[in-house]
Amino acid sequence: MNILVTGGAGFIGSNFIRWMKQHAPEHKLINVDLLTYAGNLESLCDIEQDEGYVFIRADIRDRAKMNEIFQLYDITHVVNFAAESHVDRSIEDPEVFLNTNILGTQALLDTAKKYWKTAPEDKYSRDYRAGVKFLQVSTDEVYGALGKEGKFTETTPLSPNSPYSAAKASADLVCRAYYETFGMPLNITRCSNNYGPYQFPEKLIPLMIHNCMEGKPLPVYGDGMQIRDWLHVTDHCSAIYTVLLQGQLGEVYNIGGNNERANIDIVKLILRTLGRGEELITYVKDRPGHDRRYAIDNTKITTTLDWTPSYTFEQGIFETIAWYQENPIWLEHVLSGAYEDYYERMYTQSFGE
Ligand code: NAD
Ligand code: TYD
């Protein structure tokens, strides 16, 4: 396979590239990333010289560039990670989320359609080159929020609540339409919250680890009783490769490891592991439109594709904390001036109230 990995300098994309190098090194990986604040090539410095790996700085919305890349590298598969991914930022500035997550995905789909269709000019033809596939990396957040009971299945209606999840849900619908109308060979995966190495410290787990290491207050939104279903990023990577190889065309696959935790319990676990006291916990104003609970029903991927997660949460969180402790330089570099500005904007007001 010649796999176009978009957003490969981000958290999950860089972990996916590393995982593929270890588990399926026979494939070529073409990493296309715009290097926004969230993209960091230092996450891949051990891989940059590898044969069969190439990095190109480009915007997935740049159709001319995407055309060029498909042609030059004879792309046979796309794994589309590229996105604006942080809910709090989507509340601050929704527009870039709609632009990148929806129109970026559409630009990639159009390019893939042009290169993969055997008769691209024939609008009635649904024939594609053998074996090609587009994999849209989506999220459980497209389903909206759950009450105390139940889990999201692949047939749960989409009901996104944040600009981020609305943009991801829209992209899912565009993908669905390209499958139905044009026969585009594709899958959509919807994963629960990921954690692990190389995650930007704006998301819950790395932010809490970092603040805890620094002895800074830990900003818990609302009552801290919101529930997320956590999966180690490595398990997400193995699931994506499984779907890439075996997913039935046109199908959606939920990905999750049955690991629901309340935010406050995770914060306390991090404090305990790092030997800090609970006085660092600071309850701040809740996120607007905050989804109360997510939980994934993973029956479809575990039974039809035989995928299973390998990490327990305790093992994963312990390793993740150790990784942040052992990689102060990576952390220092991502915590640049831009991060400080964001942190000020986000939290000064909250702490002040
Ligand atoms: P991330 O923010 O760490 O990385 C996103 C990457 O996309 C960055 O490297 C950024 O530079 C790049 N990018 C942004 N706009 C781009 C553009 N226009 N063109 C090219 N590259 C661009 O995000 P992540 O946490 O690694 O998430 C990756 C994908 O997985 C996203 O699509 C997200 O919706 C999805 N997802 C994330 C989670 C999670 O818990 N993090 C869970 C489920 C699904
Ligand atoms: P986050 O990592 O932003 O992921 P998502 O909102 O996509 O699930 O947040 C995870 C949970 O942690 C969510 O319920 C919001 C909460 N949270 C805090 O309580 N404090 C924080 O500083 C952050 C970033 C998140």
Side-chain angles (χ1 to χ4, degrees):
M1 299 183 197
N2 297 332
I3 309 174
L4 173 59
V5 180
T6 73
F11 164 49
I12 308 175
S14 61
N15 275 285
F16 179 73
I17 289 170
R18 182 168 293 98
W19 188 91
M20 288 292 289
K21 281 281 161 200
Q22 282 161 4
H23 296 90
E26 65 276 22
H27 305 301
K28 290 210 167 62
L29 302 173
I30 297 89
N31 175 8
V32 167
D33 196 298
L34 183 57
L35 299 183
T36 68
Y37 80 92
N40 182 4
L41 286 180
E42 283 185 45
S43 304
L44 289 164
C45 52
D46 52 325
I47 281 165
E48 64 194 2
Q49 303 298 339
D50 281 17
E51 224 176 282
Y53 168 76
V54 48
F55 171 74
I56 301 157
R57 184 174 194 177
D59 189 329
I60 56 166
R61 293 167 292 182
D62 181 343
R63 287 164 179 265
K65 194 75 189 168
M66 293 307 115
N67 273 310
E68 203 185 291
I69 291 168
F70 266 72
Q71 198 159 36
L72 192 60
Y73 295 99
D74 185 27
I75 300 299
T76 59
H77 294 73
V78 175
V79 182
N80 185 27
F81 293 103
E84 290 292 335
S85 69
H86 188 37
V87 173
D88 291 321
R89 287 183 190 258
S90 83
I91 295 167
E92 281 197 315
D93 180 13
E95 192 172 343
V96 67
F97 282 74
L98 272 61
N99 252 306
T100 294
N101 299 4
I102 308 170
L103 298 179
T105 300
Q106 194 219 344
L108 285 171
L109 285 165
D110 279 343
T111 313
K113 178 158 77 71
K114 183 168 157 195
Y115 278 92
W116 293 346
K117 262 183 86 162
T118 49
E121 304 307 329
D122 177 0
K123 77 172 178 183
Y124 297 104
S125 159
R126 296 170 72 86
D127 279 344
Y128 286 74
R129 279 172 59 179
V132 295
K133 183 183 276 189
F134 189 105
L135 193 150
Q136 174 67 5
V137 181
S138 187
T139 162
D140 60 355
E141 302 193 27
V142 299
Y143 297 120
L146 291 164
K148 284 197 170 61
E149 303 294 322
K151 292 187 175 211
F152 301 129
T153 71
E154 288 79 358
T155 56
T156 300
L158 303 191
S159 186
N161 292 317
S162 72
Y164 161 65
S165 54
K168 291 297 290 184
S170 306
D172 285 13
L173 293 178
V174 174
C175 287
R176 181 194 140 83
Y178 272 60
Y179 174 73
E180 294 293 335
T181 303
F182 305 120
M184 168 67 74
L186 60 74
N187 287 122
I188 298 170
T189 56
R190 296 187 180 135
C191 190
S192 56
N193 284 59
N194 284 212
Y195 69 97
Y198 302 102
Q199 187 169 29
F200 194 77
E202 65 183 355
K203 306 273 168 66
L204 178 77
I205 289 181
L207 187 138
M208 296 299 168
I209 295 173
H210 173 244
N211 283 17
C212 202
M213 280 163 49
E214 301 275 299
K216 283 167 61 179
L218 308 185
V220 174
Y221 298 163
D223 62 2
M225 291 307 291
Q226 301 82 6
I227 290 173
R228 299 291 182 264
D229 191 350
W230 294 92
L231 186 73
H232 193 275
V233 64
T234 299
D235 286 325
H236 189 186
C237 295
S238 69
I240 287 174
Y241 187 54
T242 302
V243 174
L244 201 60
L245 289 182
Q246 301 171 47
Q248 213 181 316
L249 296 182
E251 291 293 310
V252 175
Y253 293 92
N254 281 353
I255 303 171
N258 294 319
N259 180 47
E260 290 181 52
R261 307 268 164 163
N263 294 340
I264 191 66
D265 294 336
I266 293 183
V267 170
K268 288 180 180 170
L269 177 60
I270 293 171
L271 280 166
R272 275 200 305 281
T273 311
L274 283 166
R276 295 276 189 177
E278 291 188 9
E279 66 281 358
L280 284 181
I281 295 173
T282 309
Y283 290 93
V284 300
K285 202 166 175 187
D286 208 353
R287 172 189 279 173
H290 198 171
D291 288 335
R292 194 72 183 162
R293 175 172 166 257
Y294 303 143
I296 278 279
D297 181 335
N298 67 5
T299 308
K300 182 171 173 180
I301 190 167
T302 53
T303 58
T304 65
L305 303 185
D306 207 20
W307 169 84
T308 44
S310 62
Y311 269 89
T312 63
F313 187 66
E314 282 67 23
Q315 179 199 357
I317 202 85
F318 187 75
E319 278 186 28
T320 302
I321 291 172
W323 186 87
Y324 280 92
Q325 287 178 306
E326 286 156 15
N327 288 276
I329 293 171
W330 183 90
L331 201 52
E332 193 185 309
H333 289 181
V334 298
L335 301 177
S336 63
Y339 176 82
E340 280 164 26
D341 292 347
Y342 166 78
Y343 196 85
E344 283 276 300
R345 273 202 321 278
M346 261 308 291
Y347 294 104
T348 310
Q349 202 192 353
S350 319
F351 282 133
E353 281 172 12

